[in-house]
Amino acid sequence: MSENLNHTNTALYSEDLAPVAANRRTWTTWNYAALWISMSLCIPTYMLSSSLIEGGMNWWQALLTIFLGNTIVLIPMVLNGHAGAKYGIPFPVFARASFGTKGANIPALLRAIVACGWFGIQTWIGGFAIYQMMRLWLPSLETLPQIFPDSFGLQTGPAICFFLFWLLNMYVVYLGVDSIRKLLVFKAIFLPVAALALLLWAIVATDGLGPILQRPSKFTTSVDFFHFFFPALTGMVGFWATLSLNIPDFTRYAVSQKAQIKGQIYGLPTSMTLFAFVGVVVTSATAIVFGTTIWDPVILASKFESKWLVSVAMIAVAISTLATNIAANIVSPANDFANLSPSKIDFRKGGYLTGIIGILIFPWKLIADPTGYIFTWLVGYSSLLGPVGGIMIVDYYFIRNQTLAVDDLYNTKGIYSFTQGFNPIAIWALLLGILPNVPGFFLTIKLVDATAFPEWLTGLYHYAWFVGFGISGLIYWVAMKKK
């Protein structure tokens, strides 16, 4: 690899974007396995599995769906990670090879917007945990006058706590990400303990796993099951669709290809499935104990009798969520936004912009029920990121045969400048990959009725990630070969 990169072009080069030198690539198999264990242990993973139970699956159907989804997304994760491990380059730089030196901002922004959405969801979870604690000590919080329109679906008490927790996140952005390191350690200790405590409660409350594992599926026919299964599987793939793109940000530190491949294989499907098992068992137990399925662990914890126990649990959830939110959902989009205009947008402004967009997606609506969480949020953004993944993988493996000219990735006049910094073929392939999923998305969010488009067309949305990945990848491959 050439060491004579174009350091003068600040629009394309910075120390953060530069290739990682070989002597600084120290991540082993264990590091990647540990990374996935840490990222998998979060409240949304629990809600991912419990939403499948709420949707009608039994325990083994839910676990199988999650395992299959994570095994599928592992494939683009490893494939995209190859470039990071081979050349030491991060995701935005890798994207320049297919989208162009300027066009790479398009997939980077798509990823950033999704991260903003996750920020909003995590912030709502943390704020709602605070609300569940505060209402025990201040019952009047539940009866405050309604100040939001009914269409917002937002009560005043939870809204106040959400906004306070949002301000706390923004304050951490102001202080800088170093302030969150100790909280990440707390999260790594607390969440596994909390998960085991919930699992123990479920087993004791139902007199063993027997009643839980015997609980039947709500689907009476295979047609009903598969009607739910395929979009659910797409949602499982979509859960990590963002990381399947920007995984080079991590694999650029790998000591070898074998380290990143084995580490991800050991860490991703196993940790997601094991932690999801906790969500499946506990959610199934709530149906037996309370007579209704409770898929939100924050609501479940609020039902315990001891005020102090609930308070400690909710504070711990809030702190853990804060740590995860800043590390996973602020750093990346803040840097992506800053990259648009380095002279005008610094990390703090990028973080504040992330926070504002996170509110505007109405996260309380997305996770109010499993339908919104899976079919609107997870499947919806997978329709954007699937096409990006298809283009990048086809470009790297079938157009460039895993060979990149690293110097030109940082050169505005190099081979990746295409047409004024944009590769029109990649942009058209991206748009054409997204297009087939638009009718189904519009139907899902009720912008149109069921008669607006043919049923076969709206049905494609159930396979959004796969459809986008395949169409964009194929169009890109054909067009680039003919170029």
Side-chain angles (χ1 to χ4, degrees):
M1 184 187 304
S2 173
E3 301 294 334
N4 300 315
L5 295 176
N6 181 11
H7 292 197
T8 61
N9 192 337
T10 56
L12 296 179
Y13 180 89
S14 71
E15 291 301 321
D16 292 331
L17 296 177
V20 175
N23 60 358
R24 291 177 52 215
R25 301 181 194 179
T26 58
W27 284 40
T28 64
T29 298
W30 162 246
N31 292 124
Y32 289 104
L35 173 71
W36 279 115
I37 293 170
S38 175
M39 288 196 294
S40 298
L41 290 176
C42 63
I43 300 297
T45 299
Y46 176 103
M47 297 176 75
L48 186 74
S49 55
S50 58
S51 67
L52 297 180
I53 297 296
E54 170 68 9
M57 288 183 169
N58 62 26
W59 72 273
W60 68 264
Q61 291 170 341
L63 287 183
L64 179 63
T65 304
I66 291 167
F67 179 78
L68 285 176
N70 283 279
T71 301
I72 290 170
V73 80
L74 179 66
I75 297 172
M77 199 82 70
V78 169
L79 292 177
N80 275 327
H82 186 280
K86 183 175 182 179
Y87 296 103
I89 54 176
F91 162 71
V93 175
F94 180 35
R96 293 171 186 171
S98 51
F99 283 86
T101 50
K102 291 182 180 178
N105 280 319
I106 296 173
L109 279 179
L110 288 177
R111 182 194 64 169
I113 295 299
V114 171
C116 291
W118 275 119
F119 169 82
I121 288 174
Q122 291 271 24
T123 303
W124 173 256
I125 291 171
F128 197 63
I130 293 174
Y131 169 73
Q132 294 291 1
M133 177 193 69
M134 294 296 294
R135 72 183 182 86
L136 295 177
W137 304 98
L138 297 172
S140 59
L141 198 61
E142 293 185 82
T143 57
L144 291 175
Q146 187 66 15
I147 62 175
F148 296 100
D150 291 340
S151 60
F152 270 51
L154 186 62
Q155 295 179 328
T156 303
I160 292 173
C161 295
F162 169 61
F163 183 65
L164 290 175
F165 191 67
W166 180 87
L167 286 176
L168 179 60
N169 279 264
M170 294 299 96
Y171 180 64
V172 174
V173 171
Y174 173 78
L175 294 178
V177 294
D178 285 344
S179 61
I180 208 71
R181 286 180 180 175
K182 292 182 180 179
L183 293 180
L184 282 171
V185 174
F186 172 83
K187 173 221 170 181
I189 297 172
F190 164 73
L191 270 181
V193 173
L196 290 174
L198 277 176
L199 183 62
L200 180 63
W201 168 83
I203 294 172
V204 172
T206 58
D207 297 322
L209 285 174
I212 294 173
L213 301 184
Q214 292 170 10
R215 190 166 177 264
S217 168
K218 294 179 182 178
F219 303 113
T220 56
T221 67
S222 58
V223 173
D224 291 338
F225 171 76
F226 284 111
H227 184 73
F228 182 82
F229 169 76
F230 284 112
L233 180 65
T234 303
M236 300 309 106
V237 174
F239 191 78
W240 289 121
T242 307
L243 264 294
S244 73
L245 296 183
N246 72 287
I247 191 65
D249 291 343
F250 300 97
T251 59
R252 62 195 297 220
Y253 299 103
V255 295
S256 66
Q257 289 292 352
K258 184 182 293 186
Q260 69 98 359
I261 293 172
K262 290 173 62 178
Q264 295 201 78
I265 291 174
Y266 296 159
L268 174 57
T270 51
S271 57
M272 283 293 292
T273 305
L274 287 173
F275 191 55
F277 177 73
V278 176
V280 166
V281 170
V282 175
T283 304
S284 298
T286 62
I288 298 171
V289 176
F290 299 107
T292 183
T293 303
I294 302 174
W295 74 296
D296 187 336
V298 175
I299 295 178
L300 171 60
S302 70
K303 289 186 172 294
F304 297 135
E305 294 180 358
S306 170
K307 286 186 178 181
W308 288 105
L309 178 61
V310 172
S311 297
V312 170
M314 295 301 99
I315 291 173
V317 167
I319 295 174
S320 174
T321 302
L322 176 66
T324 302
N325 219 14
I326 300 299
N329 302 320
I330 282 287
V331 175
S332 173
N335 287 332
D336 287 335
F337 289 132
N339 188 57
L340 287 175
S341 180
S343 62
K344 295 180 180 179
I345 305 177
D346 57 14
F347 173 81
R348 284 181 182 171
K349 290 179 181 177
Y352 299 152
L353 186 57
T354 300
I356 292 171
I357 296 174
I359 292 178
L360 295 179
I361 69 158
F362 287 18
W364 54 90
K365 283 195 170 186
L366 289 180
I367 63 170
D369 64 82
T371 302
Y373 185 52
I374 294 177
F375 296 96
T376 302
W377 173 239
L378 294 177
V379 178
Y381 79 66
S382 77
S383 67
L384 299 176
L385 302 185
V388 175
I391 291 168
M392 292 178 64
I393 288 174
V394 166
D395 181 79
Y396 183 64
Y397 287 92
F398 298 103
I399 303 300
R400 310 197 186 279
N401 296 316
Q402 305 174 35
T403 301
L404 299 177
V406 176
D407 290 19
D408 282 3
L409 291 171
Y410 299 86
N411 187 350
T412 54
K413 305 295 184 182
I415 61 173
Y416 306 117
S417 61
F418 296 102
T419 304
Q420 297 181 340
F422 295 89
N423 182 1
I425 293 176
I427 295 172
W428 276 110
L430 174 64
L431 293 174
L432 292 174
I434 293 172
L435 192 60
N437 292 311
V438 173
F441 178 72
F442 283 169
L443 180 62
T444 300
I445 63 174
K446 297 179 172 59
L447 275 183
V448 299
D449 59 40
T451 61
F453 299 100
E455 186 176 349
W456 69 267
L457 185 58
T458 55
L460 291 177
Y461 181 69
H462 293 164
Y463 316 90
W465 186 88
F466 301 95
V467 170
F469 186 97
I471 291 177
S472 290
L474 180 61
I475 290 174
Y476 184 82
W477 179 73
V478 172
M480 288 295 287
K481 283 293 187 181
K482 290 182 176 181
K483 184 178 176 182

